[in-house]
Structure formats: C-alpha cells, structure tokens
Amino acid sequence: MGFDDYRRQARSLIDECNAVVAKAADEKRGFTDAERQTLADKRAEVQKNLDDADAAEAVYRMSQGLPGLAPIPTPAPAPSAPKPAFRGLGEFLTAVAGEAQGKRDNRLWEARASGLNEGISSEGGFLVPQEFVGDLMRRTYDRAVLASRCKRVGIGAAFNGIRIPTVDETSRADGSRLGGVRAYWAAEGGTLTATKPAFGQFALDLQKLIALCYSSDELLGDTTALGSFIPDAFAEELAFQTDSAILSGDGVGKPLGILNAPCLVTVAAEGGQTADTVNFPNLSKMWSRMWSRSRASAVWLINQDVEPTLFAMAFPNAAGTVPAYMPANSLANSPYGTLFGRPVIPVEQCSTVGDVGDILLVDLSQYLLIDKGEPKTDSSIHVKFTTDEMAFRFVYRVNGAPTWKTALTPHKGSNTLSPFVTLAAR
C-alpha cells in the first residue's frame, strides 16, 4: 500500500473509535470492558498505520533522489503573514487540490476547526484569498435584480445587526403626523396645546445564506473551467435566493419579503373579472395606491406570463382606444417597457398570472438590505475524499425588510398608501 492508503486506513479506524465513544455518550454511561479493549486495539492499529505511512513516505521521498530521477524539491517555509498571488480562482482551487497529493503550495494556509484532532493533517481546510471573494460579491449584485435596487447598508465586523431610530408615523391625519406633531392657529394670547413626536426602532439581525458545491478531480484539472464555473454558479444562486427572499421571504431565518410585509397594499380584483387576467382598472388602482413620493423611483415587477395581457391592453378615450403598455421599441430607448412612465421588469420569482405576486408596483429604496460584506468562502479536500471530490462552501450573512411598519393613512381619503402595492388573486 502507498502512504496515503495507510493514512486512510488510520482515518477509518479513528471513525470506528468515535462511533464507540458516541454510543456510550448517547446512552449516558461509561465504557464496557469490551469497549475499552476495542478502543485500545484500534488505537494501536491507528498508530501502526501512521508509522507505516511515515515509513512508506520516507522511502518514496528517498527514491526521488536516486540518479536519473528528479531531486526532491526543498519546500519553502510557510510565510508568517501569507500574501496569496494567484492569477485567478481556478489556479487557487487547483493548488488546494494539489495539497491532497502532497504538492505543497506556500501561497495556501491551513484553517482548522476547533475540536478536531490536530495530530491528523487531513482535518484542515483552506481559506479562499479575499481578492477572489470580492469578485464573487460584485457578480452577485450584478445579477440580483431586486437586491441591486434596495437601500443597502454594510455591517461592521464587530456587529451582527443594525438598530435604526425611526419616527413612528402611520397616519397623516391631524394629530398623527410625525407620530403626534401638530400645529394650531391661535389668536393672540390664546392657550397653546403641547404636542410631541413618537419614535420607534427598526431592527435587523444578520441571517445566513449558505451554498455547498462538490467538484470532481476531472474538473479540478481544468483551471480555466474552474475559474469561470465555480464563481459564476455560486454568484447566480446567491443572487437568485436573495431576490427570492426580498420578494416573498417569511422573515424566519431569512429576509422579510414584500409580499409578507404588514405595509403591503393589496388592490382587489374587479367585479366579474376574468380569471388569470390583468386589466387597465387593476393598474390604475395600483398606481393610485402608490405613495406619491415613491412614484418617481417605483418599478413594476411582473412574471413574464403577464406580458401577453399587457401587449393587448388598451384604455378608451375620445378617439377610440389607446395602448396602455409601452414596450421598449429600439436600442436607443430604455431596455424595459413602461406603465405610467415606470419600468416594467420581468422577474422569475414573481407568481404566475392570476396569483398574488404576479404583478407588483414597488419602490425598493424603501426596502433595507444589510450584509456583512463579501461571503465567507471555505474549501475542503477531505469531506468527499472517497469519491475524489473537492467541497466548496459559501456563507453570505444578510437580512432585509421593508422600512415601513404599516401602510400610511392619508390626510384625506380612506385608501391607505404604501411603497409596496400588489394585486389580489383573480
């Protein structure tokens, strides 16, 4: 056997020992005499395999120095403050894979989890250099249609959330503006009535978005493929999941989505409206419920199933009918069609036509997204060593929610207003 085979056998024996220990712990008892003997025997076998591995490796390295063979390279000492200089993520991942075959690359450094056995070298992992992690985050936000339009706040390294003081205003009626501020017209010498504002707090704690990927040895051998596939795949998935949570997250371990927010305004369908349709009265009523100050930055979000209805939509005027939807008709124009002058953006996370969430009018500047910066990225050459695969894990700490607690009651009128408006099921 080769020296790697001896070490794998030692690892297997250690796993068997751990199983014995775990069984006793689960049953809340000490070891039986038979278990003590088993542990002693297996520990002796582990040490024998490790000794054999060291001996086999020493012979192998000596053989590399025989005449006619390449001399053994002298490994450089590991730097105390490593400064990776990889030309790309693919080159980095290939170097990590090489460690499993004894090909030391001093641009890498090990990171061990607490509680593992430091006497066994295969328990370590490698941290991806920060120069590559930053590129992943940029790709995520380039692809995230919703996240890129939200109000984004980065959280410092020492903090795990954010607290923002707010003015507690839910109505513009007299005595409610700014949470209770009111001014009075008074005659000279009249008695003054005191008022005061009310305040609240907007709080968000970071949550985790995690992705895991395995890569085969064949793919690891192709640096070019790794350099494009790994970051692209994770960037696309992180972007999709972030956008999905912004739209429909339940707020439990993930962002609170617009469709589940208490400030969402839902416009009722028209009486007798055909199922699975969107008509002009729906749109005009949604527009009228959008908070006026948000109209300039609002966008329409739709499922592409809604588009055939929009193309056929018209509204009457004195001359007959006029198209309601204005699709982009040249490269010189906006890439999106418009309704009421605002962009119409197809989003795959929107519901299919007829369901709540198939069309929304939203001002995403009123949605706060917080994160810890770039994702933390780890890799391991040991998690799937039995199938010759490398494991890569990405952890993105993020959270978000609408900044409005409730919809706003206007100064006059009974219909509430909000920067987030959707249409009821039809």
Side-chain angles (χ1 to χ4, degrees), residues 48 131 298 352 422:
K48 178 178 179 300
E131 58 190 289
T352 190
T422 191

Side-chain angles (χ1 to χ4, degrees), residues 194-401:
T195 63
K196 61 183 179 180
F199 300 99
Q201 187 180 76
F202 182 86
L204 276 180
D205 294 319
L206 290 167
Q207 304 295 341
K208 284 184 181 180
L209 178 60
I210 304 176
L212 178 67
C213 176
Y214 300 120
S215 179
S216 68
D217 273 349
E218 288 78 9
L219 184 59
L220 287 171
D222 187 345
T223 300
T224 302
L226 278 175
S228 59
F229 170 75
I230 295 293
D232 281 355
F234 280 108
E236 187 169 331
E237 179 61 11
L238 289 174
F240 182 93
Q241 292 291 355
T242 301
D243 274 359
S244 183
I246 290 171
L247 188 63
S248 57
D250 60 13
V252 180
K254 64 175 73 68
L256 176 63
I258 292 167
L259 290 173
N260 291 312
C263 62
L264 177 69
V265 164
T266 302
V267 172
E270 294 297 294
Q273 182 173 346
T274 303
D276 299 337
T277 61
V278 177
N279 58 36
F280 183 74
N282 296 152
L283 301 183
S284 62
K285 290 179 180 179
M286 290 178 69
W287 181 255
S288 72
R289 302 293 295 277
M290 168 61 58
W291 185 45
S292 60
R293 289 168 178 77
S294 279
R295 288 180 175 180
S297 52
V299 296
W300 297 87
L301 306 178
I302 66 167
N303 185 295
Q304 285 186 234
D305 291 345
V306 175
E307 286 185 320
T309 301
L310 296 181
F311 281 115
M313 187 180 295
F315 64 92
N317 70 355
T321 59
V322 176
Y325 177 57
M326 301 297 293
N329 55 16
S330 77
L331 292 176
N333 292 337
S334 168
Y336 302 113
T338 60
L339 287 168
F340 294 91
R342 301 312 306 154
V344 178
I345 304 174
V347 177
E348 62 178 314
Q349 290 90 345
C350 282
S351 307
T352 190
V353 63
D355 296 341
V356 176
D358 61 343
I359 181 167
L360 302 96
L361 180 61
V362 300
D363 174 13
L364 288 168
S365 71
Q366 301 299 305
Y367 189 101
L368 182 65
L369 192 72
I370 66 170
D371 64 20
K372 200 78 166 177
E374 58 273 342
K376 178 185 176 184
T377 311
D378 301 287
S379 61
S380 172
I381 58 179
H382 312 294
V383 174
K384 298 279 284 185
F385 73 90
T386 58
T387 54
D388 292 327
E389 292 178 293
M390 175 80 71
F392 302 101
R393 184 185 66 184
F394 293 75
V395 180
Y396 178 34
R397 300 193 65 192
V398 63
N399 203 358

Side-chain angles (χ1 to χ4, degrees), residues 20 30-41 43:
V20 173
F31 298 124
T32 65
D33 290 340
E35 286 172 337
R36 288 192 187 90
Q37 187 59 50
T38 297
L39 289 173
D41 292 343
R43 285 166 55 195

Side-chain angles (χ1 to χ4, degrees), residues 41-168:
D41 292 343
K42 290 189 182 297
R43 285 166 55 195
E45 288 185 62
V46 168
Q47 189 58 56
K48 178 178 179 300
N49 274 279
L50 292 176
D51 291 343
D52 289 347
D54 290 342
E57 185 172 9
V59 171
Y60 168 77
R61 292 191 177 278
M62 290 175 61
S63 69
Q64 300 303 294
L66 294 175
L69 297 177
I72 304 174
T74 302
S80 57
K83 296 181 180 179
F86 297 104
R87 289 174 294 179
L89 183 59
E91 185 178 82
F92 164 76
L93 298 177
T94 301
V96 172
E99 287 284 331
Q101 302 161 352
K103 300 174 183 177
R104 181 67 181 172
D105 190 320
N106 288 311
R107 292 174 296 177
L108 299 171
W109 63 95
E110 285 192 285
R112 300 181 184 276
S114 61
L116 297 180
N117 188 341
E118 293 191 359
I120 299 175
S121 62
S122 63
E123 296 292 332
F126 296 94
L127 297 179
V128 174
Q130 292 296 309
E131 58 190 289
F132 304 133
V133 174
D135 185 56
L136 176 68
M137 179 52 63
R138 286 196 298 273
R139 295 190 187 199
T140 298
Y141 273 92
D142 287 342
R143 296 171 187 228
V145 177
L146 305 186
S148 61
R149 289 173 167 80
C150 294
K151 180 177 181 180
R152 183 176 169 222
V153 175
I155 303 301
F159 303 97
N160 290 314
I162 192 170
R163 302 290 183 271
I164 304 175
T166 63
V167 176
D168 191 7

